Amino acid sequence: MSAGGNRMTPNPEQQVDIYRRMVRIERNDDAIRQTIKRGRLQMPYYSARGQEVIPSAISAQLNPDDTICTIYRGIHDMVAKDMPLRPLWAEIAGRVDGTCKGKGGPMHLTHPESGVMVTTGIVGSSMPIANGLGWAMKLDGSKRVSIAYFGDGASNIGAFHEALNLASLWKLPVIFVCQNNRFAEHTRYENGTSVDQISKRAAGYGMPGYTVDGNDPSEMYAHAYEAIERARSGEGPTLLECMTFRFLGHVFGDDDKYMTKEEKAEAMEKDPLPAFRARLIADGHATEEQLAEIEKKITDEVADARDWALEREFPSTDELKRDVFEAEIA
Amino acid sequence: MTATTKMNGIAAFNKALHIAMEKDPKVLVLGEDVADREGGGVVGFTKGLSTTFGDDRVKSTPIAEQSIIGAAIGAAIGGYKPVAEIMLMNFTTVAMDMIHNHAAKLRFMSGGQTSVPMVITTLTGAGAQTAGQHADHLEAWFAHAAGIKVVAPATPADYIGLTLSAIDDPDPVMIVMSMMTLFGPMEVPDDQGPIPLGKANVLAEGSDVTIIAYSSTVLTAFQAMPKLAEAGISAELIDLRTVSPWDRETVLESVRKTGRAVIIHEAVKEHGVGAEIAAVINEELFGELKAPVRRLGAPSCPVPFAKVLETAFLVSVDELVETVTATVK
């Protein structure tokens, strides 16, 4: 199924904004990997390098009070949602100035001011909770939207099916965004998923489902626009299957032998970042200098966040007793 | 004298929901069959609520436990106070990820930025011949998980008081409703207010031995009391009311006085809540105990169907009397 009717295309300013978000994700990802490599950061890291377009094209159309529920491979979703980088870095470094005082870490970041409500380490569980946020938004009478990010592997867990059914039944303002990077951990798509397109599953739940080129900013923008409009106007949820490819293994440092050299090379050749950069210049939406300036600013922002975070204190062990319940535990 | 009305646990819980929903428009109810169109729940827990408060606030759900708890978690983070019914406690196993990994942990993992002020209600208990997959008492599972409180009322008045507190609590609370506690009518004060979570109720004072019970076994212990008195044993009876966090202070104070303790629960004895209570009593009062702390619970087998087996599965009044008597001698 493809989006019909009038396609909403991002204007030049929005395109540059999408690019800015993509660069912020890529630089941040690069810095995290470098910092781990140098032994200055110890964390399990699930890189989303290659998947920059999806949350960038979506977030360019969201307000701060629209929410996202994302997963352990979700730092790109948070960065795209304008989470400030200093507390993000402090959190992944386990410092007290992190968004969660160092108690959540890279797989459990939360930052309500940016709309990042839940980051989960359990495959598929972002979706039932995103429904609840959507239900609250509906009860509030607001026009906010709730985004659930997940991977292709998550579409095989029961929670996906339960959540789509409920969201459709209750006409919730939820957008289910599957970032189909073609691998569920180490398992190739076709070895774990019974349909050739996850979007086809939407039909089983009475909602529109689209398979989108998740590496094409304009196409991604247009489909997100339609889904967001649908949600805001009370018409209910949409499933977007966004085709992409992760450049790296499941977890940083893993032996990605389950990917072929050819497919990796092909994906990297189609790296959405330089491709979009070239297109912005070719279309006359930005100059080389303008983009270089944006990139420089982001590189500095990321370096600042990293340096700042690594200087922060670790949490005191008293934190073990706090936030289990509202009242401190004995 | 406060006016009272005779009602059973189901009516009492229903009354508590009416009070809470009336008081706070943020209180929601969701679960399988909970709306009046579906009959207000299989045993009528939620009767009248959707008619009074509307279908937006009282929502029947598909049979999909993960999505029920997930929706409650999201709504709670989003500023509401959902009461999510999981029809039977065995079905909480289907939603374990949502309960254990999310509801119970989101406050901690977010460093206190989000909280999950939701209630999970769930029915269970042997005695109705529902057998293996409809009657387990799994409270120890949840008591073992940090971040969720577990309440187990025994009387209709407590159903009102503990439910009101659970709904008002800023954190997730599970209310375990045992079959045997739901159908017997008792007098309930008309103005029954909230009963604090984490506080036990001393139902009878005594000097020889402390009986620690909760949920259905409070009723078992109640029936044992006259027999113990006949045998010349002065037993103190404590209803824990809240299984987690449990009221150490009241329990230890009582056992310090009597020097003896017998813990009784319907759940399987091995690795059960009684083991925790017994361990703490031993740690705190070792030198003062006049007898080893005893535990009574079900054998490590699934709840059986045949009446004769189901009856044998449960701790009987006589078994409790025998154990208490043996402890005192």
Side-chain angles (χ1 to χ4, degrees):
Chain A
M1 206 170 170
S2 67
N6 297 323
R7 279 263 177 123
M8 190 54 67
T9 46
N11 65 33
E13 201 182 313
Q14 288 164 327
Q15 291 196 36
V16 173
D17 181 49
I18 294 170
Y19 179 71
R20 178 188 67 79
R21 290 171 200 268
M22 288 167 59
V23 174
R24 206 159 166 255
I25 292 168
E26 188 264 341
R27 293 290 143 93
N28 200 63
D29 177 85
D30 189 50
I32 291 173
R33 285 186 283 118
Q34 292 305 323
T35 314
I36 296 171
K37 241 184 222 167
R38 288 183 193 134
R40 296 183 71 202
L41 198 55
Q42 261 190 11
M43 59 182 266
Y45 185 55
Y46 304 87
S47 170
R49 183 69 189 89
Q51 303 181 202
E52 289 84 358
V53 171
I54 302 161
S56 297
I58 294 171
S59 292
Q61 308 179 62
L62 297 177
N63 302 315
D65 63 354
D66 292 321
T67 62
I68 68 169
C69 293
T70 186
I71 61 164
Y72 56 90
R73 192 185 316 285
I75 287 179
H76 61 314
D77 302 328
M78 302 163 208
V79 171
K81 193 72 174 60
D82 292 321
M83 190 194 266
L85 296 186
R86 277 185 169 194
L88 183 155
W89 270 82
E91 187 58 32
I92 65 176
R95 310 302 162 112
V96 71
D97 297 293
T99 52
C100 311
K101 299 193 265 184
K103 295 157 85 166
M107 285 199 268
H108 310 296
L109 282 140
T110 297
H111 194 252
E113 290 123 88
S114 317
V116 180
M117 299 307 288
V118 174
T119 302
T120 176
I122 312 288
V123 167
S125 59
S126 60
M127 291 172 268
I129 300 176
N131 274 351
L133 284 157
W135 183 27
M137 291 167 182
K138 201 174 164 168
L139 287 164
D140 285 342
S142 72
K143 301 270 183 211
R144 298 157 62 205
V145 299
S146 164
I147 310 279
Y149 286 117
F150 55 100
D152 44 298
S155 79
N156 296 322
I157 200 168
F160 166 90
H161 300 274
E162 290 194 15
L164 263 66
N165 182 56
L166 192 84
S168 180
L169 196 63
W170 291 7
K171 281 200 178 312
L172 298 176
V174 180
I175 301 163
F176 297 98
V177 181
C178 175
Q179 304 192 23
N180 185 346
N181 62 26
R182 304 174 207 192
F183 290 91
E185 301 200 354
H186 300 199
T187 300
R188 303 189 73 87
Y189 178 87
E190 59 274 23
N191 294 335
T193 306
S194 59
V195 280
D196 59 346
Q197 290 185 319
I198 288 166
S199 64
K200 288 181 179 168
R201 289 182 166 165
Y205 302 103
M207 74 171 76
Y210 302 106
T211 296
V212 185
D213 181 350
N215 284 0
D216 179 330
S218 293
E219 195 178 329
M220 202 47 239
Y221 183 96
H223 282 85
Y225 180 88
E226 199 175 298
I228 293 167
E229 280 303 297
R230 200 178 128 76
R232 290 205 203 283
S233 60
E235 288 171 58
T238 302
L239 170 64
L240 296 180
E241 178 192 23
C242 312
M243 302 308 296
T244 186
F245 194 94
R246 67 166 144 87
F247 290 178
L248 293 141
H250 168 59
V251 65
F252 181 72
D254 92 353
D255 179 359
D256 56 6
K257 275 190 181 143
Y258 46 88
M259 295 171 155
T260 68
K261 274 187 189 139
E262 294 72 33
E263 66 188 342
K264 264 186 90 161
E266 194 196 331
M268 287 194 193
E269 201 166 307
K270 290 188 196 152
D271 188 338
L273 223 93
F276 190 38
R277 191 183 198 278
R279 204 166 107 191
L280 285 174
I281 295 170
D283 290 349
H285 296 331
T287 63
E288 164 68 38
E289 292 70 34
Q290 283 168 333
L291 297 184
E293 199 188 315
I294 289 171
E295 289 153 5
K296 166 83 173 66
K297 226 171 128 184
I298 290 170
T299 306
D300 291 346
E301 185 198 4
V302 170
D304 161 78
R306 179 198 57 208
D307 295 345
W308 181 85
L310 294 177
E311 293 294 310
R312 298 302 100 193
E313 300 282 328
F314 290 103
S316 109
T317 52
D318 296 349
E319 283 297 335
L320 289 172
K321 296 179 174 186
R322 289 189 203 119
D323 308 320
V324 176
F325 296 109
E326 186 183 70
E328 205 165 306
I329 58 171
Chain B
M1 270 281 287
T2 324
T4 62
T5 304
K6 206 166 190 180
M7 63 176 79
N8 67 14
I10 296 166
F13 175 66
N14 183 276
K15 185 179 175 183
L17 289 179
H18 271 95
I19 294 169
M21 292 194 82
E22 180 73 47
K23 192 183 116 195
D24 185 351
K26 294 284 188 187
V27 177
L28 312 172
V29 170
L30 71 160
E32 292 154 20
D33 302 333
V34 297
D36 287 330
R37 189 180 62 190
E38 284 76 33
V42 279
V43 296
F45 278 136
T46 51
K47 250 194 185 108
L49 290 171
S50 68
T51 303
T52 308
F53 300 104
D55 290 335
D56 285 344
R57 289 179 66 194
V58 183
K59 290 194 86 74
S60 282
T61 63
I63 301 171
E65 282 77 12
Q66 294 191 70
S67 80
I68 295 169
I69 301 295
I73 293 168
I77 295 172
Y80 288 82
K81 294 180 177 178
V83 179
E85 179 179 313
I86 297 297
M87 192 179 283
L88 295 175
M89 195 166 204
N90 284 85
F91 311 159
T92 62
T93 59
V94 181
M96 214 55 185
D97 165 50
M98 282 294 142
I99 300 171
H100 180 77
N101 288 320
H102 295 91
K105 290 181 184 168
L106 289 182
R107 180 192 283 279
F108 186 85
M109 295 197 309
S110 72
Q113 293 179 95
T114 56
S115 65
V116 188
M118 66 181 280
V119 174
I120 300 168
T121 65
T122 193
L123 173 60
T124 197
Q129 285 189 279
T130 52
Q133 296 174 346
H134 287 65
D136 276 334
H137 265 269
L138 303 174
E139 63 274 8
W141 293 18
F142 301 97
H144 195 66
I148 185 162
K149 295 171 186 169
V150 183
V151 169
T155 67
D158 284 8
Y159 266 102
I160 295 182
L162 293 169
T163 301
L164 292 175
S165 292
I167 293 171
D168 260 348
D169 198 89
D171 290 299
V173 180
M174 175 177 280
I175 303 178
V176 182
M177 304 160 133
S178 190
M179 286 285 182
M180 293 299 117
T181 65
L182 284 173
F183 297 94
M186 286 170 81
E187 294 294 336
V188 176
D190 290 346
D191 61 355
Q192 178 64 56
I195 292 169
L197 305 185
K199 292 270 172 268
N201 190 19
V202 182
L203 287 170
E205 291 196 20
S207 53
D208 295 331
V209 58
T210 303
I211 300 172
I212 300 144
Y214 60 87
S215 190
S216 65
T217 56
V218 172
L219 309 180
T220 313
F222 233 55
Q223 293 171 58
M225 291 301 274
K227 296 187 177 190
L228 291 169
E230 248 171 64
I233 295 168
S234 165
E236 183 141 308
L237 174 57
I238 295 179
D239 174 3
L240 273 190
R241 281 180 165 162
T242 306
V243 172
S244 176
W246 62 282
D247 187 351
R248 291 176 178 221
E249 216 167 284
T250 299
V251 169
L252 292 175
E253 191 186 323
S254 172
V255 180
R256 189 171 284 125
K257 180 178 76 180
T258 62
R260 300 176 184 93
V262 175
I263 306 146
I264 173 173
H265 53 59
E266 186 175 328
V268 167
K269 176 177 161 183
E270 199 168 289
H271 298 285
V273 169
E276 171 66 20
I277 297 169
V280 170
I281 294 172
N282 283 328
E283 281 165 6
E284 298 292 325
L285 302 174
F286 180 68
E288 298 169 57
L289 291 173
K290 295 171 190 156
V293 179
R294 300 288 297 271
R295 292 177 290 146
L296 287 169
S300 292
C301 68
V303 181
F305 170 72
K307 195 71 198 166
V308 60
L309 294 179
E310 190 190 41
T311 305
F313 175 85
L314 292 168
V315 178
S316 68
V317 175
D318 287 345
E319 215 177 320
L320 176 61
V321 170
E322 274 167 36
T323 304
V324 172
T325 308
T327 301
V328 172
K329 271 179 186 161

